[in-house]
Structure formats: C-alpha cells, structure tokens
Amino acid sequence: MARNIQSLERAAAMLRLLAGGERRLGLSDIASALGLAKGTAHGILRTLQHEGFVEQDAPSGRYQLGAELLRLGNSYLDVHELRARALVWTDDLARSSGESVYLGVLHQQGVLIVHHVFRPDDSRQVLEVGAMQPLHSTALGKVLSAYDPVAHSEVVEVDRKTFTGRTVSDIVEFETLLDLTRARGYADDVEETWEGVASVAAPIHDRRRMPVGAVGITGAVERVCVDGDLRPELVAAVRDCARAVSRDLGASRF
C-alpha cells in the first residue's frame, strides 16, 4: 500500500487549523497545536504563503488563510451551484432585456464563461460556454477585478492588450475604472473589446459576501446604449439579476 506524504498531511492539518477557531494564529500556536517543531511549522507556512494559500499579518506576524485558497474553494461553487442557482434568473434577464446573457468566473487570468443564454430572437448564435474573455476590457472582467482581490492581482500582472481605440490598458486609468465600478455596483464595456458591441455586468456574492462570479448582458451598441450611455433599464435589470442570484446563494446584503 502506498504511504501518505507526511509533508502534505501536515500542510492539510495546518490549513484545517487555520480554517477553524481564531481568525489568525501565531507560529508557536500552530506548532504547538500540531505537535511540530517551530522550524518545521515555519517551513510549511512559508511554502503555503508562497503559493497564496496562507497570508501573514505584518503587524502581528500571525497567519490566516489566503485568498488563493478561498478562490479554489469557491471554484466548486462556481462550476456547480452557481450555474444551477443562476439558470432561472439568467433566462428571465434574457427575456426582459432581449439580449444575450453571460455568467462568468475567474479562471487563469481571465473570465471563463460558465453559462450563456442566447438572445431571444431568431438570429444565428454560437454557444460560448467554455470561452475565455479578458479581465481588463470586458464588463464581466472589470466586475471580477473590482470585487475579487485575486482577480485584481492577476489583472495587474497580465498583459492588458489593446483591442480597440477605447480599450483602457494604462493601470492608473484602469484602477480609476475599478473605483467607479465599486461605487456604481456594475461595470460596462462599450466597444472596448469588440467594435459595435456593448456590455454591462454586476457582481454575484455568496453567503460570506465573497465575490463568486459576475453576470451580464451583451449586445449591439445601438440596442444596449442610447446617445453613448448604457440604457438605465438594462443596468437595473442586470443588477436585479445579480442580486437575485446572490440571495439564492445565501447573501443577505450586497
């Protein structure tokens, strides 16, 4: 019978310890609780910290779970419960808006489309589930970058490609857009990724108020916008959809 790898067992025990009890624990507390020498515990913590699974509070030196572990934990929700909870609401959004609806989650420095509802007309359309969209230029991506710290760190590091003359690639300007997104509660993309196409998206939160995805509509500029601005009734419909899905996931305030 194959033997378990001791270092992995210790790392798993350390993560379970940090997941329960107090929010932050010191090195001595962790080593004592797990029956490890301080040097051994410190080595495991450094590795977990390097991988983003553990974070160290600078003032106190104590450790807590990191954003990367939370993102991985949410990935199960993203591909299973999130889509299931959003089915009815996204169908309603497509009917009320007359536009295509997309549900996206963070994946590999981009936005992974996990659900796509066709525009309710007779036009020929292609299912885009599994497609990737950029974080910096799409409405879905801006929402994730504004509300998810992991997405934010990745969009800062990624090559922000210029797709059209309206694409915002400069990091200072982009941060300003994220501030605006958080202030308004939604993000837009008016010909920043594709000429003639506009989008609006809003964040979805779970019961812990963690951002687990974004939902939005996409359509021709002349339908989604009026005089260069998003139609307010479409913005309201997208935000209502995001709130409804969030409520179904247990979020009480957003």
PDB file of all heavy atoms in Angstrom, residues 66-103:
ATOM      1  N   GLY A  66      -5.270  32.270   2.982  1.00  0.00           N
ATOM      2  CA  GLY A  66      -5.024  33.226   1.911  1.00  0.00           C
ATOM      3  C   GLY A  66      -6.112  33.244   0.864  1.00  0.00           C
ATOM      4  O   GLY A  66      -6.950  32.335   0.788  1.00  0.00           O
ATOM      5  N   ALA A  67      -6.077  34.270   0.037  1.00  0.00           N
ATOM      6  CA  ALA A  67      -7.106  34.464  -0.986  1.00  0.00           C
ATOM      7  C   ALA A  67      -7.117  33.335  -2.024  1.00  0.00           C
ATOM      8  O   ALA A  67      -8.168  32.971  -2.546  1.00  0.00           O
ATOM      9  CB  ALA A  67      -6.898  35.802  -1.687  1.00  0.00           C
ATOM     10  N   GLU A  68      -5.946  32.765  -2.328  1.00  0.00           N
ATOM     11  CA  GLU A  68      -5.888  31.705  -3.328  1.00  0.00           C
ATOM     12  C   GLU A  68      -6.668  30.477  -2.875  1.00  0.00           C
ATOM     13  O   GLU A  68      -7.361  29.834  -3.672  1.00  0.00           O
ATOM     14  CB  GLU A  68      -4.438  31.312  -3.614  1.00  0.00           C
ATOM     15  CG  GLU A  68      -4.266  30.172  -4.603  1.00  0.00           C
ATOM     16  CD  GLU A  68      -4.731  30.508  -6.014  1.00  0.00           C
ATOM     17  OE1 GLU A  68      -4.987  31.697  -6.297  1.00  0.00           O
ATOM     18  OE2 GLU A  68      -4.863  29.578  -6.821  1.00  0.00           O
ATOM     19  N   LEU A  69      -6.577  30.157  -1.581  1.00  0.00           N
ATOM     20  CA  LEU A  69      -7.320  29.009  -1.065  1.00  0.00           C
ATOM     21  C   LEU A  69      -8.814  29.265  -1.126  1.00  0.00           C
ATOM     22  O   LEU A  69      -9.602  28.376  -1.472  1.00  0.00           O
ATOM     23  CB  LEU A  69      -6.904  28.718   0.377  1.00  0.00           C
ATOM     24  CG  LEU A  69      -7.498  27.445   0.987  1.00  0.00           C
ATOM     25  CD1 LEU A  69      -6.995  26.216   0.258  1.00  0.00           C
ATOM     26  CD2 LEU A  69      -7.176  27.351   2.463  1.00  0.00           C
ATOM     27  N   LEU A  70      -9.214  30.500  -0.814  1.00  0.00           N
ATOM     28  CA  LEU A  70     -10.625  30.847  -0.908  1.00  0.00           C
ATOM     29  C   LEU A  70     -11.111  30.752  -2.346  1.00  0.00           C
ATOM     30  O   LEU A  70     -12.218  30.310  -2.623  1.00  0.00           O
ATOM     31  CB  LEU A  70     -10.849  32.259  -0.358  1.00  0.00           C
ATOM     32  CG  LEU A  70     -10.569  32.431   1.137  1.00  0.00           C
ATOM     33  CD1 LEU A  70     -10.724  33.895   1.524  1.00  0.00           C
ATOM     34  CD2 LEU A  70     -11.495  31.567   1.975  1.00  0.00           C
ATOM     35  N   ARG A  71     -10.252  31.173  -3.295  1.00  0.00           N
ATOM     36  CA  ARG A  71     -10.637  31.093  -4.702  1.00  0.00           C
ATOM     37  C   ARG A  71     -10.818  29.640  -5.128  1.00  0.00           C
ATOM     38  O   ARG A  71     -11.775  29.296  -5.824  1.00  0.00           O
ATOM     39  CB  ARG A  71      -9.579  31.757  -5.588  1.00  0.00           C
ATOM     40  CG  ARG A  71      -9.967  31.791  -7.057  1.00  0.00           C
ATOM     41  CD  ARG A  71      -8.863  32.394  -7.904  1.00  0.00           C
ATOM     42  NE  ARG A  71      -7.735  31.502  -8.030  1.00  0.00           N
ATOM     43  CZ  ARG A  71      -7.693  30.485  -8.900  1.00  0.00           C
ATOM     44  NH1 ARG A  71      -8.695  30.244  -9.702  1.00  0.00           N
ATOM     45  NH2 ARG A  71      -6.626  29.712  -8.977  1.00  0.00           N
ATOM     46  N   LEU A  72      -9.911  28.777  -4.701  1.00  0.00           N
ATOM     47  CA  LEU A  72     -10.028  27.366  -5.046  1.00  0.00           C
ATOM     48  C   LEU A  72     -11.263  26.756  -4.412  1.00  0.00           C
ATOM     49  O   LEU A  72     -11.951  25.936  -5.018  1.00  0.00           O
ATOM     50  CB  LEU A  72      -8.774  26.610  -4.586  1.00  0.00           C
ATOM     51  CG  LEU A  72      -7.486  26.896  -5.349  1.00  0.00           C
ATOM     52  CD1 LEU A  72      -6.334  26.131  -4.731  1.00  0.00           C
ATOM     53  CD2 LEU A  72      -7.629  26.530  -6.817  1.00  0.00           C
ATOM     54  N   GLY A  73     -11.549  27.164  -3.185  1.00  0.00           N
ATOM     55  CA  GLY A  73     -12.739  26.669  -2.515  1.00  0.00           C
ATOM     56  C   GLY A  73     -13.998  27.090  -3.234  1.00  0.00           C
ATOM     57  O   GLY A  73     -14.980  26.347  -3.305  1.00  0.00           O
ATOM     58  N   ASN A  74     -13.977  28.290  -3.784  1.00  0.00           N
ATOM     59  CA  ASN A  74     -15.141  28.790  -4.500  1.00  0.00           C
ATOM     60  C   ASN A  74     -15.298  28.163  -5.877  1.00  0.00           C
ATOM     61  O   ASN A  74     -16.359  28.249  -6.485  1.00  0.00           O
ATOM     62  CB  ASN A  74     -15.041  30.312  -4.670  1.00  0.00           C
ATOM     63  CG  ASN A  74     -15.397  31.032  -3.391  1.00  0.00           C
ATOM     64  OD1 ASN A  74     -16.166  30.531  -2.578  1.00  0.00           O
ATOM     65  ND2 ASN A  74     -14.825  32.205  -3.201  1.00  0.00           N
ATOM     66  N   SER A  75     -14.222  27.539  -6.398  1.00  0.00           N
ATOM     67  CA  SER A  75     -14.292  27.002  -7.749  1.00  0.00           C
ATOM     68  C   SER A  75     -15.338  25.894  -7.854  1.00  0.00           C
ATOM     69  O   SER A  75     -15.990  25.731  -8.881  1.00  0.00           O
ATOM     70  CB  SER A  75     -12.922  26.472  -8.193  1.00  0.00           C
ATOM     71  OG  SER A  75     -12.541  25.352  -7.409  1.00  0.00           O
ATOM     72  N   TYR A  76     -15.519  25.119  -6.773  1.00  0.00           N
ATOM     73  CA  TYR A  76     -16.560  24.089  -6.784  1.00  0.00           C
ATOM     74  C   TYR A  76     -17.922  24.743  -6.922  1.00  0.00           C
ATOM     75  O   TYR A  76     -18.770  24.317  -7.698  1.00  0.00           O
ATOM     76  CB  TYR A  76     -16.495  23.255  -5.511  1.00  0.00           C
ATOM     77  CG  TYR A  76     -17.553  22.186  -5.451  1.00  0.00           C
ATOM     78  CD1 TYR A  76     -17.341  20.942  -6.060  1.00  0.00           C
ATOM     79  CD2 TYR A  76     -18.771  22.414  -4.820  1.00  0.00           C
ATOM     80  CE1 TYR A  76     -18.317  19.961  -6.030  1.00  0.00           C
ATOM     81  CE2 TYR A  76     -19.750  21.438  -4.791  1.00  0.00           C
ATOM     82  CZ  TYR A  76     -19.519  20.211  -5.393  1.00  0.00           C
ATOM     83  OH  TYR A  76     -20.482  19.255  -5.365  1.00  0.00           O
ATOM     84  N   LEU A  77     -18.116  25.818  -6.153  1.00  0.00           N
ATOM     85  CA  LEU A  77     -19.367  26.555  -6.239  1.00  0.00           C
ATOM     86  C   LEU A  77     -19.542  27.135  -7.637  1.00  0.00           C
ATOM     87  O   LEU A  77     -20.619  27.074  -8.215  1.00  0.00           O
ATOM     88  CB  LEU A  77     -19.372  27.680  -5.195  1.00  0.00           C
ATOM     89  CG  LEU A  77     -20.512  28.691  -5.277  1.00  0.00           C
ATOM     90  CD1 LEU A  77     -21.842  28.019  -4.962  1.00  0.00           C
ATOM     91  CD2 LEU A  77     -20.263  29.844  -4.324  1.00  0.00           C
ATOM     92  N   ASP A  78     -18.454  27.686  -8.194  1.00  0.00           N
ATOM     93  CA  ASP A  78     -18.530  28.347  -9.489  1.00  0.00           C
ATOM     94  C   ASP A  78     -19.093  27.431 -10.567  1.00  0.00           C
ATOM     95  O   ASP A  78     -19.951  27.841 -11.345  1.00  0.00           O
ATOM     96  CB  ASP A  78     -17.141  28.841  -9.926  1.00  0.00           C
ATOM     97  CG  ASP A  78     -16.635  29.975  -9.059  1.00  0.00           C
ATOM     98  OD1 ASP A  78     -17.462  30.612  -8.390  1.00  0.00           O
ATOM     99  OD2 ASP A  78     -15.427  30.200  -9.051  1.00  0.00           O
ATOM    100  N   VAL A  79     -18.594  26.211 -10.621  1.00  0.00           N
ATOM    101  CA  VAL A  79     -18.961  25.337 -11.734  1.00  0.00           C
ATOM    102  C   VAL A  79     -20.168  24.473 -11.433  1.00  0.00           C
ATOM    103  O   VAL A  79     -20.690  23.809 -12.310  1.00  0.00           O
ATOM    104  CB  VAL A  79     -17.768  24.429 -12.143  1.00  0.00           C
ATOM    105  CG1 VAL A  79     -16.618  25.272 -12.642  1.00  0.00           C
ATOM    106  CG2 VAL A  79     -17.334  23.547 -10.977  1.00  0.00           C
ATOM    107  N   HIS A  80     -20.645  24.472 -10.218  1.00  0.00           N
ATOM    108  CA  HIS A  80     -21.778  23.630  -9.861  1.00  0.00           C
ATOM    109  C   HIS A  80     -22.969  24.466  -9.392  1.00  0.00           C
ATOM    110  O   HIS A  80     -23.890  24.723 -10.156  1.00  0.00           O
ATOM    111  CB  HIS A  80     -21.378  22.616  -8.783  1.00  0.00           C
ATOM    112  CG  HIS A  80     -20.386  21.605  -9.246  1.00  0.00           C
ATOM    113  ND1 HIS A  80     -20.737  20.477  -9.953  1.00  0.00           N
ATOM    114  CD2 HIS A  80     -19.048  21.554  -9.127  1.00  0.00           C
ATOM    115  CE1 HIS A  80     -19.648  19.775 -10.250  1.00  0.00           C
ATOM    116  NE2 HIS A  80     -18.616  20.410  -9.760  1.00  0.00           N
ATOM    117  N   GLU A  81     -22.905  24.895  -8.144  1.00  0.00           N
ATOM    118  CA  GLU A  81     -24.064  25.578  -7.571  1.00  0.00           C
ATOM    119  C   GLU A  81     -24.335  26.931  -8.217  1.00  0.00           C
ATOM    120  O   GLU A  81     -25.493  27.304  -8.422  1.00  0.00           O
ATOM    121  CB  GLU A  81     -23.877  25.761  -6.056  1.00  0.00           C
ATOM    122  CG  GLU A  81     -25.125  26.303  -5.373  1.00  0.00           C
ATOM    123  CD  GLU A  81     -24.965  26.411  -3.877  1.00  0.00           C
ATOM    124  OE1 GLU A  81     -23.869  26.096  -3.361  1.00  0.00           O
ATOM    125  OE2 GLU A  81     -25.953  26.828  -3.234  1.00  0.00           O
ATOM    126  N   LEU A  82     -23.293  27.676  -8.545  1.00  0.00           N
ATOM    127  CA  LEU A  82     -23.500  29.000  -9.119  1.00  0.00           C
ATOM    128  C   LEU A  82     -24.346  28.926 -10.391  1.00  0.00           C
ATOM    129  O   LEU A  82     -25.334  29.649 -10.540  1.00  0.00           O
ATOM    130  CB  LEU A  82     -22.157  29.666  -9.422  1.00  0.00           C
ATOM    131  CG  LEU A  82     -22.216  31.030 -10.114  1.00  0.00           C
ATOM    132  CD1 LEU A  82     -23.005  32.025  -9.279  1.00  0.00           C
ATOM    133  CD2 LEU A  82     -20.811  31.549 -10.391  1.00  0.00           C
ATOM    134  N   ARG A  83     -23.956  28.053 -11.301  1.00  0.00           N
ATOM    135  CA  ARG A  83     -24.718  27.919 -12.554  1.00  0.00           C
ATOM    136  C   ARG A  83     -26.134  27.443 -12.280  1.00  0.00           C
ATOM    137  O   ARG A  83     -27.096  27.969 -12.864  1.00  0.00           O
ATOM    138  CB  ARG A  83     -24.008  26.964 -13.503  1.00  0.00           C
ATOM    139  CG  ARG A  83     -24.698  26.829 -14.850  1.00  0.00           C
ATOM    140  CD  ARG A  83     -23.927  25.926 -15.804  1.00  0.00           C
ATOM    141  NE  ARG A  83     -24.605  25.823 -17.086  1.00  0.00           N
ATOM    142  CZ  ARG A  83     -25.582  24.983 -17.336  1.00  0.00           C
ATOM    143  NH1 ARG A  83     -26.019  24.157 -16.392  1.00  0.00           N
ATOM    144  NH2 ARG A  83     -26.157  24.945 -18.533  1.00  0.00           N
ATOM    145  N   ALA A  84     -26.274  26.471 -11.382  1.00  0.00           N
ATOM    146  CA  ALA A  84     -27.609  25.944 -11.091  1.00  0.00           C
ATOM    147  C   ALA A  84     -28.514  27.018 -10.503  1.00  0.00           C
ATOM    148  O   ALA A  84     -29.693  27.131 -10.872  1.00  0.00           O
ATOM    149  CB  ALA A  84     -27.503  24.763 -10.127  1.00  0.00           C
ATOM    150  N   ARG A  85     -27.964  27.835  -9.603  1.00  0.00           N
ATOM    151  CA  ARG A  85     -28.757  28.889  -8.967  1.00  0.00           C
ATOM    152  C   ARG A  85     -29.114  30.004  -9.940  1.00  0.00           C
ATOM    153  O   ARG A  85     -30.119  30.700  -9.760  1.00  0.00           O
ATOM    154  CB  ARG A  85     -27.979  29.484  -7.801  1.00  0.00           C
ATOM    155  CG  ARG A  85     -27.672  28.521  -6.677  1.00  0.00           C
ATOM    156  CD  ARG A  85     -28.886  28.264  -5.821  1.00  0.00           C
ATOM    157  NE  ARG A  85     -28.563  27.445  -4.668  1.00  0.00           N
ATOM    158  CZ  ARG A  85     -29.425  27.131  -3.700  1.00  0.00           C
ATOM    159  NH1 ARG A  85     -30.659  27.597  -3.782  1.00  0.00           N
ATOM    160  NH2 ARG A  85     -29.062  26.380  -2.696  1.00  0.00           N
ATOM    161  N   ALA A  86     -28.299  30.187 -10.969  1.00  0.00           N
ATOM    162  CA  ALA A  86     -28.489  31.311 -11.881  1.00  0.00           C
ATOM    163  C   ALA A  86     -29.396  30.993 -13.071  1.00  0.00           C
ATOM    164  O   ALA A  86     -29.809  31.913 -13.784  1.00  0.00           O
ATOM    165  CB  ALA A  86     -27.126  31.786 -12.398  1.00  0.00           C
ATOM    166  N   LEU A  87     -29.725  29.720 -13.293  1.00  0.00           N
ATOM    167  CA  LEU A  87     -30.439  29.328 -14.512  1.00  0.00           C
ATOM    168  C   LEU A  87     -31.734  30.119 -14.723  1.00  0.00           C
ATOM    169  O   LEU A  87     -31.953  30.694 -15.795  1.00  0.00           O
ATOM    170  CB  LEU A  87     -30.743  27.823 -14.477  1.00  0.00           C
ATOM    171  CG  LEU A  87     -29.550  26.881 -14.676  1.00  0.00           C
ATOM    172  CD1 LEU A  87     -29.994  25.433 -14.533  1.00  0.00           C
ATOM    173  CD2 LEU A  87     -28.906  27.109 -16.035  1.00  0.00           C
ATOM    174  N   VAL A  88     -32.595  30.124 -13.732  1.00  0.00           N
ATOM    175  CA  VAL A  88     -33.894  30.781 -13.883  1.00  0.00           C
ATOM    176  C   VAL A  88     -33.727  32.280 -14.059  1.00  0.00           C
ATOM    177  O   VAL A  88     -34.354  32.903 -14.925  1.00  0.00           O
ATOM    178  CB  VAL A  88     -34.800  30.486 -12.671  1.00  0.00           C
ATOM    179  CG1 VAL A  88     -36.076  31.330 -12.741  1.00  0.00           C
ATOM    180  CG2 VAL A  88     -35.156  29.003 -12.621  1.00  0.00           C
ATOM    181  N   TRP A  89     -32.851  32.876 -13.256  1.00  0.00           N
ATOM    182  CA  TRP A  89     -32.684  34.328 -13.277  1.00  0.00           C
ATOM    183  C   TRP A  89     -32.056  34.811 -14.582  1.00  0.00           C
ATOM    184  O   TRP A  89     -32.427  35.871 -15.094  1.00  0.00           O
ATOM    185  CB  TRP A  89     -31.850  34.774 -12.077  1.00  0.00           C
ATOM    186  CG  TRP A  89     -32.465  34.400 -10.767  1.00  0.00           C
ATOM    187  CD1 TRP A  89     -31.996  33.480  -9.871  1.00  0.00           C
ATOM    188  CD2 TRP A  89     -33.678  34.921 -10.198  1.00  0.00           C
ATOM    189  NE1 TRP A  89     -32.836  33.383  -8.788  1.00  0.00           N
ATOM    190  CE2 TRP A  89     -33.877  34.260  -8.962  1.00  0.00           C
ATOM    191  CE3 TRP A  89     -34.610  35.868 -10.616  1.00  0.00           C
ATOM    192  CZ2 TRP A  89     -34.970  34.531  -8.142  1.00  0.00           C
ATOM    193  CZ3 TRP A  89     -35.706  36.138  -9.806  1.00  0.00           C
ATOM    194  CH2 TRP A  89     -35.872  35.479  -8.584  1.00  0.00           C
ATOM    195  N   THR A  90     -31.110  34.048 -15.109  1.00  0.00           N
ATOM    196  CA  THR A  90     -30.485  34.463 -16.368  1.00  0.00           C
ATOM    197  C   THR A  90     -31.456  34.304 -17.538  1.00  0.00           C
ATOM    198  O   THR A  90     -31.438  35.105 -18.480  1.00  0.00           O
ATOM    199  CB  THR A  90     -29.188  33.674 -16.638  1.00  0.00           C
ATOM    200  OG1 THR A  90     -29.438  32.265 -16.490  1.00  0.00           O
ATOM    201  CG2 THR A  90     -28.090  34.090 -15.666  1.00  0.00           C
ATOM    202  N   ASP A  91     -32.301  33.280 -17.495  1.00  0.00           N
ATOM    203  CA  ASP A  91     -33.341  33.141 -18.525  1.00  0.00           C
ATOM    204  C   ASP A  91     -34.281  34.344 -18.497  1.00  0.00           C
ATOM    205  O   ASP A  91     -34.645  34.896 -19.545  1.00  0.00           O
ATOM    206  CB  ASP A  91     -34.139  31.852 -18.308  1.00  0.00           C
ATOM    207  CG  ASP A  91     -33.398  30.606 -18.773  1.00  0.00           C
ATOM    208  OD1 ASP A  91     -32.347  30.759 -19.440  1.00  0.00           O
ATOM    209  OD2 ASP A  91     -33.844  29.490 -18.457  1.00  0.00           O
ATOM    210  N   ASP A  92     -34.662  34.744 -17.280  1.00  0.00           N
ATOM    211  CA  ASP A  92     -35.551  35.910 -17.136  1.00  0.00           C
ATOM    212  C   ASP A  92     -34.876  37.177 -17.650  1.00  0.00           C
ATOM    213  O   ASP A  92     -35.523  38.026 -18.283  1.00  0.00           O
ATOM    214  CB  ASP A  92     -35.937  36.095 -15.662  1.00  0.00           C
ATOM    215  CG  ASP A  92     -36.938  35.049 -15.184  1.00  0.00           C
ATOM    216  OD1 ASP A  92     -37.520  34.355 -16.041  1.00  0.00           O
ATOM    217  OD2 ASP A  92     -37.135  34.931 -13.962  1.00  0.00           O
ATOM    218  N   LEU A  93     -33.579  37.312 -17.370  1.00  0.00           N
ATOM    219  CA  LEU A  93     -32.844  38.503 -17.809  1.00  0.00           C
ATOM    220  C   LEU A  93     -32.780  38.565 -19.335  1.00  0.00           C
ATOM    221  O   LEU A  93     -32.941  39.641 -19.927  1.00  0.00           O
ATOM    222  CB  LEU A  93     -31.437  38.502 -17.219  1.00  0.00           C
ATOM    223  CG  LEU A  93     -30.528  39.670 -17.623  1.00  0.00           C
ATOM    224  CD1 LEU A  93     -31.153  41.005 -17.248  1.00  0.00           C
ATOM    225  CD2 LEU A  93     -29.148  39.515 -16.962  1.00  0.00           C
ATOM    226  N   ALA A  94     -32.556  37.432 -19.970  1.00  0.00           N
ATOM    227  CA  ALA A  94     -32.513  37.404 -21.434  1.00  0.00           C
ATOM    228  C   ALA A  94     -33.868  37.806 -22.024  1.00  0.00           C
ATOM    229  O   ALA A  94     -33.934  38.570 -22.997  1.00  0.00           O
ATOM    230  CB  ALA A  94     -32.106  36.014 -21.928  1.00  0.00           C
ATOM    231  N   ARG A  95     -34.946  37.312 -21.430  1.00  0.00           N
ATOM    232  CA  ARG A  95     -36.282  37.654 -21.929  1.00  0.00           C
ATOM    233  C   ARG A  95     -36.589  39.142 -21.735  1.00  0.00           C
ATOM    234  O   ARG A  95     -37.115  39.799 -22.632  1.00  0.00           O
ATOM    235  CB  ARG A  95     -37.337  36.805 -21.224  1.00  0.00           C
ATOM    236  CG  ARG A  95     -37.467  35.392 -21.755  1.00  0.00           C
ATOM    237  CD  ARG A  95     -38.726  34.720 -21.264  1.00  0.00           C
ATOM    238  NE  ARG A  95     -38.697  34.534 -19.811  1.00  0.00           N
ATOM    239  CZ  ARG A  95     -38.224  33.450 -19.211  1.00  0.00           C
ATOM    240  NH1 ARG A  95     -37.753  32.451 -19.946  1.00  0.00           N
ATOM    241  NH2 ARG A  95     -38.222  33.348 -17.903  1.00  0.00           N
ATOM    242  N   SER A  96     -36.256  39.675 -20.551  1.00  0.00           N
ATOM    243  CA  SER A  96     -36.615  41.065 -20.257  1.00  0.00           C
ATOM    244  C   SER A  96     -35.742  42.061 -21.006  1.00  0.00           C
ATOM    245  O   SER A  96     -36.196  43.143 -21.374  1.00  0.00           O
ATOM    246  CB  SER A  96     -36.523  41.328 -18.746  1.00  0.00           C
ATOM    247  OG  SER A  96     -35.180  41.207 -18.289  1.00  0.00           O
ATOM    248  N   SER A  97     -34.473  41.701 -21.243  1.00  0.00           N
ATOM    249  CA  SER A  97     -33.544  42.627 -21.902  1.00  0.00           C
ATOM    250  C   SER A  97     -33.521  42.462 -23.413  1.00  0.00           C
ATOM    251  O   SER A  97     -33.174  43.387 -24.154  1.00  0.00           O
ATOM    252  CB  SER A  97     -32.129  42.429 -21.364  1.00  0.00           C
ATOM    253  OG  SER A  97     -31.607  41.155 -21.739  1.00  0.00           O
ATOM    254  N   GLY A  98     -33.871  41.253 -23.880  1.00  0.00           N
ATOM    255  CA  GLY A  98     -33.784  40.969 -25.306  1.00  0.00           C
ATOM    256  C   GLY A  98     -32.367  40.749 -25.784  1.00  0.00           C
ATOM    257  O   GLY A  98     -32.105  40.739 -26.997  1.00  0.00           O
ATOM    258  N   GLU A  99     -31.432  40.553 -24.847  1.00  0.00           N
ATOM    259  CA  GLU A  99     -30.018  40.395 -25.200  1.00  0.00           C
ATOM    260  C   GLU A  99     -29.445  39.079 -24.666  1.00  0.00           C
ATOM    261  O   GLU A  99     -30.063  38.408 -23.837  1.00  0.00           O
ATOM    262  CB  GLU A  99     -29.199  41.565 -24.642  1.00  0.00           C
ATOM    263  CG  GLU A  99     -29.633  42.938 -25.124  1.00  0.00           C
ATOM    264  CD  GLU A  99     -29.440  43.137 -26.628  1.00  0.00           C
ATOM    265  OE1 GLU A  99     -28.713  42.339 -27.253  1.00  0.00           O
ATOM    266  OE2 GLU A  99     -30.021  44.092 -27.169  1.00  0.00           O
ATOM    267  N   SER A 100     -28.255  38.729 -25.143  1.00  0.00           N
ATOM    268  CA  SER A 100     -27.552  37.545 -24.664  1.00  0.00           C
ATOM    269  C   SER A 100     -27.078  37.777 -23.230  1.00  0.00           C
ATOM    270  O   SER A 100     -26.674  38.892 -22.865  1.00  0.00           O
ATOM    271  CB  SER A 100     -26.341  37.239 -25.541  1.00  0.00           C
ATOM    272  OG  SER A 100     -26.731  36.986 -26.870  1.00  0.00           O
ATOM    273  N   VAL A 101     -27.119  36.728 -22.426  1.00  0.00           N
ATOM    274  CA  VAL A 101     -26.710  36.806 -21.027  1.00  0.00           C
ATOM    275  C   VAL A 101     -25.534  35.858 -20.799  1.00  0.00           C
ATOM    276  O   VAL A 101     -25.546  34.719 -21.272  1.00  0.00           O
ATOM    277  CB  VAL A 101     -27.871  36.443 -20.081  1.00  0.00           C
ATOM    278  CG1 VAL A 101     -27.405  36.464 -18.626  1.00  0.00           C
ATOM    279  CG2 VAL A 101     -29.036  37.403 -20.277  1.00  0.00           C
ATOM    280  N   TYR A 102     -24.541  36.352 -20.065  1.00  0.00           N
ATOM    281  CA  TYR A 102     -23.348  35.557 -19.783  1.00  0.00           C
ATOM    282  C   TYR A 102     -23.098  35.513 -18.272  1.00  0.00           C
ATOM    283  O   TYR A 102     -23.262  36.522 -17.574  1.00  0.00           O
ATOM    284  CB  TYR A 102     -22.114  36.151 -20.455  1.00  0.00           C
ATOM    285  CG  TYR A 102     -22.164  36.124 -21.960  1.00  0.00           C
ATOM    286  CD1 TYR A 102     -22.742  37.175 -22.670  1.00  0.00           C
ATOM    287  CD2 TYR A 102     -21.640  35.053 -22.678  1.00  0.00           C
ATOM    288  CE1 TYR A 102     -22.803  37.155 -24.057  1.00  0.00           C
ATOM    289  CE2 TYR A 102     -21.685  35.024 -24.058  1.00  0.00           C
ATOM    290  CZ  TYR A 102     -22.270  36.071 -24.748  1.00  0.00           C
ATOM    291  OH  TYR A 102     -22.318  36.050 -26.108  1.00  0.00           O
ATOM    292  N   LEU A 103     -22.685  34.340 -17.801  1.00  0.00           N
ATOM    293  CA  LEU A 103     -22.275  34.150 -16.409  1.00  0.00           C
ATOM    294  C   LEU A 103     -20.799  33.773 -16.434  1.00  0.00           C
ATOM    295  O   LEU A 103     -20.417  32.820 -17.130  1.00  0.00           O
ATOM    296  CB  LEU A 103     -23.103  33.036 -15.771  1.00  0.00           C
ATOM    297  CG  LEU A 103     -22.933  32.771 -14.277  1.00  0.00           C
ATOM    298  CD1 LEU A 103     -23.471  33.951 -13.463  1.00  0.00           C
ATOM    299  CD2 LEU A 103     -23.661  31.484 -13.890  1.00  0.00           C
TER     300      LEU A 103
END
